[in-house]
Amino acid sequence: MATRAMAMAEREGLRATLRATLCRGREKQLQQPVRTRPSRHASDPNEAERWRSLASEFRVHVEDVELCTDESDRNSQAWTPAVFVKPLDDGGRDGKACARPCVVLLHATGGDRAQLARHAAQYASRGYVAVSVDSRHHGSRASDPYNEALLRSWRTADARPFLFDTVYDLMRLLDYMQQQAEVDLERVGVTGVSLGGMHAWLWAAADERVRCAAPMIGVQSFAWAVEHDRWHARAESLRRGNAPSVFDVAAKDLGKATCDAAVVKEVWNRIAPGLLTHADAPQSLPLIAPRPLLVLNGELDLRCPIAGLEAALARTKEAYASLGASDMFEISFQAGIGHEATAEMHRAAAAFLDRHLLSRQVSNPVTTI
């Protein structure tokens, strides 16, 4: 019993460290009411028509709002644009809305809240409140471009545009959901692709209010990649067009002709302190136990190499077993697939979330593209 108590205390200490890394002094904002306003960003006509078409096809209702997720941020990143996709039938009685399960869908690098629009509509058609947001410096928040934000973080370390600040926004999103009677807070899940998969994993690790997670092509070990000189594909993913990437600039600042593992390590330590230690998958992924977790990756994904996940997956399996929840953790590596979220992965994520979050059996628990 003493050993188990010590292990649990260690887990909670690690979670507290992770939360402190994500919050950066903003802890007092958590659990506080979240201000909202109508979306101020005029939708692209094609995007607006896409939402209207999906709403008609799947008989769902679409709401586009903005949430003030960071009261301490006085620039363009204080407000998080969010789309809520809901069933037309509130499922309640006597005019009272029924509390529904919620799934949050998170986009990849370069995407926005509309990237997974069809998936969101399909989830809503099956009874979910489906939510999609713009990550920091993406979509309607890209007036401050992602690449420039990464460079500024390298130079000044005054923000965490890579992963951490968006995960903080997601914690505040859940604060907002606590204000909504239509969301069943005991049935909140998340899935995401690539960058969104990383956000999903870290959010679920830090915030126990997330009851179920199915990250796609995101879970990886940053420290392993540096130690084994397998960082190239991940670093290249942060390059935007022909502009110098944060790694190019860092190499020059550090007096090196080209980027190497030492440069990558210095970049991660500066723009995302803790990413190589307590926030990395071997330490943070086990914190999701005993809640349902499905990790979906491609067998040939160079950004998330299987060899680099061995320690993380072994520790996570051990954590689930120690909590008597071995059946709550699943792993899927799709054969012959690189860094791609396939239709098969989306279907697997949908089936997993349906199994753990829906209170009734659905007739069409699959997602098509």
Side-chain angles (χ1 to χ4, degrees), residues 192-306:
V193 174
S194 192
L195 177 67
M198 291 184 266
H199 289 149
W201 135 43
L202 288 169
W203 183 27
D207 194 339
E208 292 180 283
R209 296 174 297 175
V210 178
R211 301 301 190 184
C212 184
M216 289 179 272
I217 60 172
V219 177
Q220 64 204 270
S221 173
F222 290 88
W224 182 93
V226 170
E227 292 166 4
H228 293 82
D229 206 33
R230 298 279 295 278
W231 50 267
H232 304 77
R234 173 54 59 200
E236 192 63 23
S237 73
L238 296 188
R239 184 181 301 280
R240 314 315 306 152
N242 295 322
S245 76
V246 63
F247 297 99
D248 298 330
V249 172
K252 184 177 180 180
D253 289 349
L254 295 172
K256 297 197 174 187
T258 60
C259 184
D260 59 17
V263 171
V264 173
K265 182 177 182 179
E266 188 65 25
V267 169
W268 292 144
N269 284 337
R270 193 174 301 185
I271 73 171
L275 187 62
L276 300 179
T277 54
H278 58 272
D280 203 9
Q283 288 72 43
S284 61
L285 195 68
L287 297 179
I288 301 175
R291 292 162 288 152
L293 169 64
L294 169 62
V295 174
L296 294 144
N297 280 16
E299 176 192 32
L300 306 179
D301 191 343
L302 297 180
R303 299 184 193 179
C304 308
I306 291 179

Side-chain angles (χ1 to χ4, degrees), residues 124-144:
S125 74
R126 300 204 304 280
Y128 291 90
V129 174
V131 186
S132 185
V133 303
D134 284 345
S135 298
R136 294 213 179 193
H137 309 282
H138 286 73
S140 297
R141 307 171 89 177
S143 57
D144 183 7

Side-chain angles (χ1 to χ4, degrees), residues 67-356:
L67 312 176
C68 187
T69 52
D70 191 351
E71 297 282 356
S72 66
D73 196 321
R74 303 306 178 192
N75 60 32
S76 62
Q77 304 306 306
W79 292 84
T80 299
V83 175
F84 290 78
V85 189
K86 310 172 185 179
L88 283 178
D89 177 10
D90 65 13
R93 297 178 179 178
D94 303 323
K96 295 182 180 180
C98 174
R100 294 184 177 277
C102 176
V103 60
V104 179
L105 299 98
L106 303 172
H107 64 76
T109 301
D112 60 18
R113 62 194 186 281
Q115 186 178 54
L116 300 174
R118 187 169 187 83
H119 299 285
Q122 289 176 323
Y123 277 105
S125 74
R126 300 204 304 280
Y128 291 90
V129 174
V131 186
S132 185
V133 303
D134 284 345
S135 298
R136 294 213 179 193
H137 309 282
H138 286 73
S140 297
R141 307 171 89 177
S143 57
D144 183 7
Y146 190 37
N147 192 57
E148 292 182 17
L150 293 170
L151 293 175
R152 192 165 58 249
S153 180
W154 162 254
R155 292 268 169 80
T156 68
D158 64 346
R160 302 287 183 262
F162 184 65
L163 300 180
F164 293 170
D165 280 346
T166 292
V167 176
Y168 176 80
D169 289 338
L170 293 169
M171 294 166 73
R172 292 291 284 147
L173 171 66
L174 247 179
D175 289 343
Y176 173 74
M177 290 182 190
Q178 289 183 320
Q179 303 168 212
Q180 311 306 306
E182 64 192 354
V183 173
D184 182 350
L185 294 173
E186 294 300 317
R187 293 188 291 162
V188 174
V190 62
T191 186
V193 174
S194 192
L195 177 67
M198 291 184 266
H199 289 149
W201 135 43
L202 288 169
W203 183 27
D207 194 339
E208 292 180 283
R209 296 174 297 175
V210 178
R211 301 301 190 184
C212 184
M216 289 179 272
I217 60 172
V219 177
Q220 64 204 270
S221 173
F222 290 88
W224 182 93
V226 170
E227 292 166 4
H228 293 82
D229 206 33
R230 298 279 295 278
W231 50 267
H232 304 77
R234 173 54 59 200
E236 192 63 23
S237 73
L238 296 188
R239 184 181 301 280
R240 314 315 306 152
N242 295 322
S245 76
V246 63
F247 297 99
D248 298 330
V249 172
K252 184 177 180 180
D253 289 349
L254 295 172
K256 297 197 174 187
T258 60
C259 184
D260 59 17
V263 171
V264 173
K265 182 177 182 179
E266 188 65 25
V267 169
W268 292 144
N269 284 337
R270 193 174 301 185
I271 73 171
L275 187 62
L276 300 179
T277 54
H278 58 272
D280 203 9
Q283 288 72 43
S284 61
L285 195 68
L287 297 179
I288 301 175
R291 292 162 288 152
L293 169 64
L294 169 62
V295 174
L296 294 144
N297 280 16
E299 176 192 32
L300 306 179
D301 191 343
L302 297 180
R303 299 184 193 179
C304 308
I306 291 179
L309 281 172
E310 290 178 358
L313 297 180
R315 292 182 185 182
T316 303
K317 286 181 180 178
E318 182 180 345
Y320 275 85
S322 70
L323 294 170
S326 294
D327 58 335
M328 292 291 108
F329 178 44
E330 299 181 26
I331 308 163
S332 175
F333 290 108
Q334 189 172 345
I337 297 298
H339 193 72
E340 175 189 356
T342 64
E344 180 179 325
M345 290 182 191
H346 280 286
R347 285 193 294 269
F352 185 80
L353 292 165
D354 284 352
R355 188 162 74 248
H356 291 288

